[in-house]
Amino acid sequence: MATLKFTVLAGDGIGPEVMESALEVLNKACGDAGDTLSYSAHDVGGIAIDNHGTALPESTLEACRQADAILFGSVGGPKWENLPPSQQPERAALLPLRKAFKLFANIRPGLLYPELADASPLKSERIPNGIDIVCIRELTGGIYFGEKKTWQNDDGEMQACDSMSYKVSEIERIAEVAGQTAMARGKKVCSIDKANVLETSVLWRKTVTEYFKKNFPEVQLSYMYVDNAAMQLARDPNQFDVFFTENMFGDILSDEMAVICGSLGMLCSASLGDIKNSLGNKFGLYEPAGGTAPDIAGKGIANPCAQILSGAMMLRYSFGRDDVASKIEKAVRDAVCSGVRTGDIAFGRTPVSTKEMTQAIIERL
Ligand code: NAD
């Protein structure tokens, strides 16, 4: 029996709709296990710009500091897309949150149930057993956080530069997350880089090799250049079990993985750092892979599974409730595989609403 204390940042678009579902499922599953949920909801993203003049108000950040985890929806939408880039909801809310809590590792399971093979753009004979892989992306280093500048040359031509840099300690800590993830799965990991061209990748590969030799001798470590990895993911995704890579390569490959796994409505993620919460577990931010889906927002038809599964990841990593997390994951799978489907994964079936999907999951808990 414990009190699980987290901050709810539903955000914009479908965020509040799918967050309501996730909270219903979490309340039921945790209540059955004897745990109590203690959460407070705060504005983030576009709604926070409207209500507070900034995408990440200090009151929201403070609520996150007081909690053991953040359950995040998604932010942004057409209403705010003409703001200057530095004030855009995603950039002005998510990046500072990642920075504030040093969330350097993004874990995104690429899971496609065999029953949902139709949802993947890959031919079903390439994925007879669905897809079950994990992408780990370094989240706070590399080119997105390196020095940037734009200038005018003497001849009047404009030029711009973004620089990529990595320290050994930054590489080692993401290698640790990859190693631990591999140990909990098939003890097989692929490190993805561009060591034939980039200095950062040469250091990445050397550091990873030494780190795994010393700390994870049982794990089978392989390497792949990022261009080949993009091709191999589309050709035969299950040749990977766990793969990990630096920030920009991970940004691109994780989206490719999302596409081959079917609907964004099914994919969850966890962003973790080294900060421990009051329970001694990892503090983390948990969110669906998709965005605010303005095309379907407000219609009550969004797929709540990604948000619900993000809640399950929160239980596993930040609250040590592996048993309840697995129960939720099984209920989602049972509901989807028994044919209860929202529009994004319906494929000829009569689509159900967000609320009906949520009820079907709760009934199977
Ligand atoms: P999107 O992920 O919102 O939507 C892409 C497509 O996937 C749409 O057709 C949408 O309907 C569908 N989709 C996504 N989630 C779904 C769900 N749960 N159920 C059913 N269908 C779902 O991407 P976009 O259209 O490029 O972006 C829309 C807005 O979201 C933009 O403002 C963007 O900046 C923002 N965004 C935010 C985040 C975040 O908060 N982490 C991530 C990506 C995009």
Side-chain angles (χ1 to χ4, degrees):
M1 289 254 282
T3 301
L4 314 184
K5 196 172 167 210
F6 57 97
T7 298
V8 171
L9 307 183
D12 310 310
I14 60 166
E17 301 169 40
V18 292
M19 186 64 81
E20 193 182 323
S21 301
L23 293 173
E24 269 184 61
V25 171
L26 287 172
N27 266 306
K28 168 78 176 124
C30 294
D32 287 353
D35 292 325
T36 309
L37 301 188
S38 165
Y39 55 84
S40 59
H42 298 268
D43 288 343
V44 73
I47 179 101
I49 294 174
D50 291 353
N51 292 342
H52 310 263
T54 167
L56 184 62
E58 180 51 36
S59 52
T60 298
L61 199 52
E62 183 53 29
C64 296
R65 287 192 199 104
Q66 299 302 322
D68 287 325
I70 303 169
L71 190 58
F72 195 91
S74 40
V75 293
K79 185 174 176 192
W80 306 280
E81 70 192 13
N82 292 324
L83 289 172
S86 63
Q87 293 169 30
Q88 296 267 333
E90 258 189 283
R91 183 157 158 192
L94 258 178
L95 294 191
L97 269 174
R98 286 174 188 160
K99 216 170 166 184
F101 295 100
K102 301 187 173 63
L103 303 171
F104 64 82
N106 181 252
I107 303 178
R108 192 184 281 192
L111 186 62
L112 174 75
Y113 312 139
E115 293 83 351
L116 269 185
D118 280 356
S120 175
L122 298 188
K123 289 187 188 131
S124 46
E125 59 262 33
R126 289 187 180 238
I127 43 170
N129 301 312
I131 299 173
D132 184 1
I133 59 180
V134 177
C135 167
I136 296 176
R137 165 187 169 195
E138 201 290 324
L139 208 54
T140 53
I143 200 162
Y144 297 163
F145 290 89
E147 195 188 333
K148 302 169 184 303
K149 56 182 177 178
T150 304
W151 68 96
Q152 190 168 29
N153 289 324
D154 292 344
D155 61 4
E157 190 179 11
M158 295 303 294
Q159 193 168 340
C161 155
D162 297 280
S163 55
M164 183 193 280
S165 99
Y166 270 105
K167 289 191 281 197
V168 166
S169 53
E170 291 174 309
I171 303 168
E172 284 182 343
R173 64 187 187 178
I174 193 79
E176 174 67 28
V177 175
Q180 283 181 12
T181 310
M183 286 299 285
R185 289 176 51 99
K187 296 187 179 167
K188 192 178 144 198
V189 73
C190 182
S191 170
I192 293 170
D193 61 39
K194 189 73 182 166
N196 50 345
V197 180
L198 299 176
E199 287 295 322
T200 42
S201 285
V202 173
L203 184 66
W204 179 282
R205 195 175 278 216
K206 180 174 180 292
T207 306
V208 163
T209 306
E210 287 165 7
Y211 197 83
F212 271 79
K213 197 170 167 197
K214 186 166 166 219
N215 298 288
F216 296 103
E218 289 166 69
V219 173
Q220 184 195 327
L221 171 69
S222 61
Y223 314 90
M224 201 177 276
Y225 295 139
V226 63
D227 42 346
N228 186 25
M231 202 164 64
Q232 296 300 331
L233 255 182
R235 205 182 62 82
D236 176 18
N238 288 311
Q239 69 182 278
F240 299 100
D241 187 43
V242 175
F243 67 90
F244 74 109
T245 187
E246 66 85 38
N247 202 346
M248 183 172 61
F249 297 162
D251 192 5
I252 299 165
L253 291 180
S254 62
D255 268 21
E256 183 185 349
M257 187 185 75
V259 168
I260 61 172
C261 286
S263 175
L264 283 171
M266 294 301 300
L267 297 177
C268 54
S269 80
S271 298
L272 307 172
D274 277 337
I275 294 178
K276 294 265 192 288
N277 62 21
S278 73
L279 304 166
N281 297 315
K282 280 181 190 286
F283 183 91
L285 182 149
Y286 303 86
E287 59 173 329
T292 56
D295 52 336
I296 57 167
K299 296 183 179 163
I301 57 170
N303 186 343
C305 293
Q307 189 74 61
I308 293 168
L309 293 169
S310 301
M313 284 188 101
M314 176 178 78
L315 295 182
R316 175 168 291 124
Y317 288 105
S318 287
F319 295 112
R321 286 289 187 277
D322 208 40
D323 48 343
V324 190
S326 300
K327 214 171 143 188
I328 293 174
E329 286 160 357
K330 183 171 182 312
V332 170
R333 187 178 189 137
D334 288 350
V336 169
C337 294
S338 70
V340 186
R341 310 274 179 88
T342 43
D344 56 316
I345 50 172
F347 304 110
R349 291 179 173 80
T350 308
V352 300
S353 66
T354 307
K355 282 191 190 314
E356 287 165 330
M357 187 82 229
T358 309
Q359 273 318 306
I361 293 166
I362 288 175
E363 280 161 20
R364 285 162 178 81
L365 276 172

